[in-house]
Amino acid sequence: MISGFFDDHAQFVYNKALTFQYEHVVSEDDIRLALATISYNIAQCFHRRSQKEGEKSVLQTLSFYNYCLSYLESSSKGMGCSNLIITSLNNIAQVYLDLCNFDMAHKVTDALIAVVSRMMALSYPVSFSEDEMPCIHLNALTAQRYGSAPVA
């Protein structure tokens, strides 16, 4: 099993806790990055829990992933937090796919593709393993295919 898959989950969900290290907090951006990382890690806990408990945990999952992204939006670090942005968008798309909300999954996946494309164009570094980035790319491509054909 590739690191990053939840048990019994068909799509790749980045499931490693993210960490940050500061000897001392220097700026408000550092605080926003810390809050984004904490929100992301809480979202992962709810995401894993939602696999067993259902809708209540799913809504909390989405809330915390969105908190993470909102902290990053208000930060000047922006694309410097690429792993956090990519993993949040990837995981949000997977939540929407699990809910069969294909329109939202497509919107989030479009944002994910735009972020990854921008990062590649600007040569931003990412620190994913050899297994992880291809899984994220595959998720983005396959998510675009879900729900795209009308039901007969």
Side-chain angles (χ1 to χ4, degrees), residues 58-110:
V58 169
L59 297 175
Q60 291 169 320
T61 300
L62 289 171
S63 292
F64 278 97
Y65 282 133
N66 285 320
Y67 292 149
C68 170
L69 292 173
S70 68
Y71 286 125
L72 295 175
E73 283 178 4
S74 63
S75 169
S76 65
K77 294 186 185 287
M79 292 299 284
C81 305
S82 56
N83 283 19
L84 199 47
I85 296 168
I86 289 171
T87 56
S88 294
L89 290 172
N90 177 77
N91 292 1
I92 291 169
Q94 298 317 308
V95 170
Y96 282 123
L97 287 174
D98 289 345
L99 295 172
C100 297
N101 186 337
F102 302 119
D103 289 338
M104 285 303 297
H106 290 184
K107 288 177 185 176
V108 174
T109 303
D110 288 344

Side-chain angles (χ1 to χ4, degrees), residues 6-62:
F6 284 155
D7 297 335
D8 302 324
H9 201 273
Q11 297 294 319
F12 177 78
V13 175
Y14 193 86
N15 65 356
K16 294 180 184 173
L18 299 178
T19 61
F20 55 93
Q21 296 178 351
Y22 293 108
E23 290 182 22
H24 58 283
V25 176
V26 182
S27 69
E28 286 199 31
D29 276 346
D30 293 335
I31 294 169
R32 285 186 191 99
L33 178 57
L35 289 170
T37 304
I38 292 165
S39 296
Y40 175 83
N41 289 334
I42 293 170
Q44 280 195 348
C45 294
F46 282 116
H47 199 160
R48 182 171 294 271
R49 182 192 243 175
S50 73
Q51 301 298 305
K52 293 180 175 66
E53 291 185 7
E55 191 170 329
K56 181 178 179 191
S57 292
V58 169
L59 297 175
Q60 291 169 320
T61 300
L62 289 171

Side-chain angles (χ1 to χ4, degrees), residues 92-139:
I92 291 169
Q94 298 317 308
V95 170
Y96 282 123
L97 287 174
D98 289 345
L99 295 172
C100 297
N101 186 337
F102 302 119
D103 289 338
M104 285 303 297
H106 290 184
K107 288 177 185 176
V108 174
T109 303
D110 288 344
L112 173 61
I113 291 168
V115 168
V116 171
S117 297
R118 184 170 173 213
M119 284 178 37
M120 292 173 73
L122 297 173
S123 300
Y124 275 102
V126 291
S127 57
F128 293 108
S129 74
E130 289 180 21
D131 295 335
E132 294 162 349
M133 201 61 193
C135 288
I136 289 171
H137 281 123
L138 184 59
N139 274 357

